Amino acid sequence: MSESKLIVVGGGLAGLMATIKACEKGQKVDLFSVCPVKRSHSLCAQGGINGALNTKGENDSVEEHFDDTIYGGDFLANQKPVRDMCYGAPDVIHMFDRMGVMFSRTQEGLIDLRRFGGTKNRRTAFAGATTGQQLLYATDEQVRKYEVAGLVTKYEFWDMQSAIIDDEGICRGIVAQDMNTMEMRSFKADAVVVATGGLGMIFGKSTNSIICTGSAAGALFQQGVHFANGEFIQIHPTAVPGDDKLRLMSEAARGEGGRVWTYRDGKPWYFLEDMFPAYGNLVPRDIATRAIFSVCVDQGLGINGENKVYLDLSHIDAKELDRKLGGILDIYEKFAGDDPRKVPMMIFPGVHYTMGGIHTNYGHMTNVLGLFTAGECDYSYHGANRLGANSLLSAVFSGMEVGPKATDYIKGLKKSANDISSTVFDLELKRQKKIEEDVINSKGNENPFKLHEEMGKIMTENVTVVRENARIAKTEGVLVDLMDRFKKINLSDTGSYSNQSLLFSKQLWNMMHIARVITKGALLRDESRGSHYKPDFPDRNDEKFLKTTMAKYTPNGPEIWYEEVDTSLIKPRPRRYDVDKEVK
Ligand SMILES: Cc1cc2nc3c(=O)[nH]c(=O)nc-3n(C[C@H](O)[C@H](O)[C@H](O)COP(=O)(O)OP(=O)(O)OC[C@H]3O[C@@H](n4cnc5c(N)ncnc54)[C@H](O)[C@@H]3O)c2cc1C
């Protein structure tokens, strides 16, 4: 067989880790990213990465980490992969330590740990408040080593358009577009790993970077790749509202002692501490989100009558704050104009993370042979809700898993991509060029940026914190209408024709498909679980919905069905954060 090739799409932590692990086995890799890999969204992660290192003497353990993750995810995650991840976590942190990541230390020189929501122990290793950046840079340094050795070729500013799938249903490469020259090309590969991150842009404003469109997942979905648990979207309780986008105030701020409050009857009301005495300000994200939402929207007690409450650090020593949270406090000061060391910050919940994603088996392979996935776009590790600081872990861990798995798969192949008829590659390239021509030649009066704004608004209003069936059903109708209107977009008459608007329009179409998956999944799941809350169905319904939501493309909209969840290791138990003593 001629020299084999692995394509990795995504240069965030998951993609880079997959690349390193494949290279360690001698595998050649083509690495694609819509931005320089060092600008991937992993860069923005602030608070830290979880691993039961127990350096604080709290008797923390891997089993406890596993239990918190399953419990926090409201039992919707398949348990075996989660346990593997939690057992791998301490080694992941030690590996980064050896790579040179400057983790914050205790006075004794041990890796310091902070508390995050949904845990009772300190388990989050951090490098000040720029953990993602430190991990990403360290990982890319390792990839550069393999670049120099000729094993890795980077394609930065290349946008994956689709997978190339042969007549036997096997993935043989991708079509990608150079975002500078707009050249579109087919690339052969013996296996493809998709690690394209989250999809916050579907909701318009979110804490995600604007490159987090979910477009690649949307394109794959239309090609028959299954999507799982789409309705589980994490809303971060402490986002900083902004006109252009939301900025995150990391959970580390609560972890370091931040208190959430508003005024009631003219006096400060620390409502999280009041409502949830066991966890106080450190309840998991969905619980904190709903509490803030209820205080502002239902009770009208937001600051100055607006949808905002205080997140207060001003009682903590400023030097201590600088040491542990400096980076993010500076970001807040820059955008909000107030110094959070002196004045309480103002926050409100915002779209933050995608628990659902591309469906895979335990070997990270999708339902298309030779097509693998890892990182935030993989649905595997977080069930109905993700614990803070578990996603850097899942991105790194899944990357470490998928690299060798894809390489082994390639070794077992009887036929290399080079032995496949060139027609397979030409046909997919032609199909993508036709899609592009249709967008360019569309002569209606719709503006794609306006359609995106409308989609983001209705998705945020109806398919985030509180979900009511009538409003979700209305959203479905609006999405169908937006897709119709998309067919009448006009890039030249709106004055918005540019490479960027063309690329964005194509991404928008893919986003719309995933928006429909999210919406339909939310509509059909008549229960409340993790991040998915329906006031009309306030309880978790294990009998009917302790199941993974599966979605596949049909021309008439997504088809939904359900699959059993592996609960063989921890028996599902009620999820309560409102009592001092929990029964585990
Ligand atoms: C503000 C913020 C703070 C966070 N803080 C934390 C934290 O403290 N701890 C924690 O555990 N988690 C945190 N998270 C979540 C965490 O950062 C992400 O889940 C994780 O970094 C995702 O890594 P990834 O490799 O899957 O994706 P990303 O880092 O998003 O990388 C995706 C890659 O895919 C590429 N790509 C995308 N589409 C295409 C395409 N069509 N063609 C080619 N390339 C493409 C991009 O260029 C990029 O290289 C935070 C998230 C946000 C929004």
Side-chain angles (χ1 to χ4, degrees), residues 9-15 32-37 40-50 116 131 136 158-161 195-198 207-209 211-213 215-216 247-248 250 285 352-353 374-377 386-393 395 507:
V9 188
L13 277 169
F32 290 76
S33 171
V34 291
C35 61
V37 299
S40 297
H41 178 71
S42 292
L43 179 90
C44 302
Q46 306 170 343
I49 176 167
N50 283 342
F116 255 54
T131 313
L136 190 69
W158 281 78
D159 187 354
M160 173 189 163
Q161 306 293 295
T196 47
T207 62
N208 290 187
S209 306
I211 54 170
C212 298
T213 58
S215 167
R247 275 156 197 98
L248 182 72
S250 169
R285 294 177 176 181
H352 182 58
Y353 186 82
E376 189 169 337
C377 66
R386 165 183 77 98
L387 289 188
N390 255 3
S391 69
L392 287 179
L393 173 63
Q507 290 166 350

Side-chain angles (χ1 to χ4, degrees), residues 9-10 14-15 160 193-199 213-218 220 225-228 353-360 364 366 372-382 391 394-395 398 514:
V9 188
M160 173 189 163
V193 173
V194 175
T196 47
L199 46 71
T213 58
S215 167
L220 293 172
V225 174
H226 296 163
F227 205 85
Y353 186 82
T354 317
M355 271 76 72
I358 297 169
H359 184 259
T360 76
H364 289 276
T366 69
F372 295 77
T373 188
E376 189 169 337
C377 66
D378 166 355
Y379 93 111
S380 301
Y381 293 98
H382 308 290
S391 69
S394 64
S398 59
I514 300 296

